[in-house]
Amino acid sequence: MILHELISYDVLRLIWWALLGVLLIGFALTDGFDLGTGTLLPFVARSDVERRVVINTIGPVWEGNQVWLILGGGAIFAAWPQLYAVSFSGFYLAMFAILVALILRPVAFKFRSKREEPAWRSRWDWVLFVGGFVPALIFGVAMGNVLQGVPFRIEDDMQIFYDGSFFGLLNPYALLAGLVSVAMLVMHGAAWLQLKTSGTVAERARRFGIVAALLTTVLYAVAGVLLAYFVTGYAITGSIDTSGASNPLLKNAVAQGGAWFANYATHPALWVVPALGLAGPVIAALCLAMRRPLAALLAGGVGIAGIVASVGVSMFPFILPSSVNPSVSLTVWDSSSSHLTLFIMLVSTVIFMPIILAYTSWVFSVLRGQVDPEAIQDGKGHAY
């Protein structure tokens, strides 16, 4: 027996669908509080020292956290090449806006303290705000568009054509999903700031965090109701070979109202996933109100995981539906890499993922504790 045949093709596809979700959740949980902190920067910190305190809560860790985004993009490229081709070409301008925002963020970190003029530093503070707010918004907008279906088609020769536009992505439901994303990451960033700072900054972060957490639950609930009654889902008609060739043209699918809730009807236990998305932010708000920042960070993280995971659970087995021709939609069963490729990637993941997790845990352990304003004023112990 060839080694990679120890795990069947359909099981490997399912494993990589789950791993993609893990990577997206990992990015939302780690780089998410960085983005949320950047979004909050101009509002929770008013003096230069306060803003340097906020920046130094994420300055030593943001680069490591962003590795999860690189891992997610790499996993899409290697495990789901057709998904990579459609999404990165169709969402090209949106992805470009995200990259510009993410590139500006380290530039702002490095240049902000090069001059002492208040106007100079204020401008870079707003750049950090853009570097947090824009990616948080656009990632949510992208998820909102995926749930509605993306206007792409695949011809018989497997050429992919995207028929949409950048401004077409900015539809009402997608913008609502973007607001959910911004609210949940601001909640996460506020919990992080309350954990890592003290005094006035922590108190302002607490107030913003409570509002953001409650908004997360409300907006997520509204998005769920709209998804059930006003957003068209997609369903496969007939059979599909779960171990067959990666060819999206070999199945039939239709647009169908309420289809995104079919998995919950079939497996009621799955309702726990969106339930976590609703309950986690509420618990985080309570923990913030009681000044329990670590509990708030954990509860908010559970809520974020539930929100992100609920998208995948609702859509399964679809990973990118086509609103132009539902039958060419990309699914878990017909858009993956080869059996051997998925197996080699899985072996690599089993080896390297524990190393990444161990290193990340060690970094956060070394950097535990609050940022000290006095050390910042004395110019000792902090990078920014």
Side-chain angles (χ1 to χ4, degrees):
M1 175 183 289
I2 301 175
L3 188 60
H4 70 272
E5 293 180 352
L6 291 172
I7 305 177
S8 64
Y9 198 10
D10 58 335
V11 171
L12 275 173
R13 284 169 160 167
L14 193 60
I15 289 172
W16 272 102
W17 171 79
L19 283 175
L20 179 59
V22 169
L23 292 174
L24 293 177
I25 291 171
F27 170 69
L29 292 179
T30 53
D31 208 33
F33 67 73
D34 293 349
L35 300 178
T37 298
T39 303
L40 284 169
L41 173 63
F43 309 105
V44 299
R46 296 172 185 172
S47 68
D48 182 64
V49 171
E50 288 179 348
R51 294 191 173 185
R52 289 182 65 192
V53 166
V54 171
I55 292 170
N56 276 282
T57 64
I58 58 174
V61 297
W62 72 268
E63 288 179 291
N65 293 340
Q66 203 159 284
V67 167
W68 289 92
L69 177 62
I70 298 170
L71 290 174
I76 293 174
F77 174 78
W80 310 101
Q82 291 172 327
L83 172 63
Y84 183 91
V86 176
S87 59
F88 279 71
S89 58
F91 296 163
Y92 182 81
L93 290 177
M95 295 292 183
F96 184 78
I98 291 174
L99 287 176
V100 169
L102 293 178
I103 289 169
L104 286 174
R105 183 166 62 163
V107 174
F109 279 133
K110 297 299 182 183
F111 278 83
R112 183 190 184 278
S113 296
K114 297 298 183 182
R115 293 168 61 181
E116 295 185 0
E117 288 88 342
W120 169 270
R121 294 189 172 187
S122 178
R123 283 193 292 269
W124 287 115
D125 291 338
W126 283 103
V127 170
L128 286 171
F129 165 79
V130 170
F133 177 80
V134 170
L137 178 68
I138 295 181
F139 280 129
V141 168
M143 287 297 100
N145 279 283
V146 168
L147 284 166
Q148 295 175 94
V150 177
F152 73 93
R153 51 192 168 86
I154 303 177
E155 300 297 330
D156 292 339
D157 59 0
M158 297 302 293
Q159 287 193 72
I160 299 172
F161 297 90
Y162 180 78
D163 296 331
S165 65
F166 174 76
F167 292 104
L169 300 175
L170 305 177
N171 56 78
Y173 187 80
L175 290 173
L176 173 61
L179 292 177
V180 173
S181 177
V182 171
M184 74 179 189
L185 297 187
V186 167
M187 166 193 69
H188 206 40
W192 174 256
L193 284 176
Q194 195 182 29
L195 178 68
K196 297 290 289 183
T197 65
S198 59
T200 306
V201 172
E203 185 61 22
R204 293 188 192 120
R206 184 182 72 88
R207 293 198 297 267
F208 277 106
I210 292 171
V211 174
L214 296 177
L215 273 176
T216 299
T217 295
V218 172
L219 292 173
Y220 178 57
V222 171
V225 172
L226 294 177
L227 188 67
Y229 295 103
F230 298 99
V231 176
T232 301
Y234 297 84
I236 295 174
T237 57
S239 60
I240 185 170
D241 186 358
T242 59
S243 297
S246 289
N247 186 344
L249 305 180
L250 300 180
K251 68 174 180 308
N252 292 310
V254 295
Q256 189 176 90
W260 289 151
F261 286 81
N263 288 334
Y264 299 106
T266 305
H267 306 286
L270 293 175
W271 280 108
V272 70
V273 178
L276 291 175
L278 290 169
V282 173
I283 297 173
L286 293 173
C287 293
L288 286 168
M290 294 186 293
R291 294 176 173 80
R292 302 281 297 276
L294 181 58
L297 191 69
L298 295 175
V302 170
I304 291 171
I307 291 171
V308 176
S310 68
V311 176
V313 169
S314 298
M315 292 178 56
F316 184 84
F318 290 88
I319 53 178
L320 191 65
S322 169
S323 59
V324 175
N325 181 3
S327 291
V328 304
S329 299
L330 306 182
T331 74
V332 173
W333 312 124
D334 61 15
S335 59
S336 72
S337 293
S338 69
H339 193 168
L340 178 59
T341 299
L342 294 183
F343 180 78
I344 293 173
M345 288 177 58
L346 181 61
V347 172
S348 301
T349 301
V350 170
I351 294 172
F352 290 105
M353 184 63 75
I355 296 174
I356 294 172
L357 292 173
Y359 172 75
T360 302
S361 300
W362 176 76
V363 168
F364 279 97
S365 175
V366 170
L367 297 173
R368 66 186 180 275
Q370 295 183 338
V371 176
D372 184 6
E374 293 183 2
I376 287 179
Q377 289 177 307
D378 294 340
K380 299 176 181 179
H382 294 289
Y384 303 102

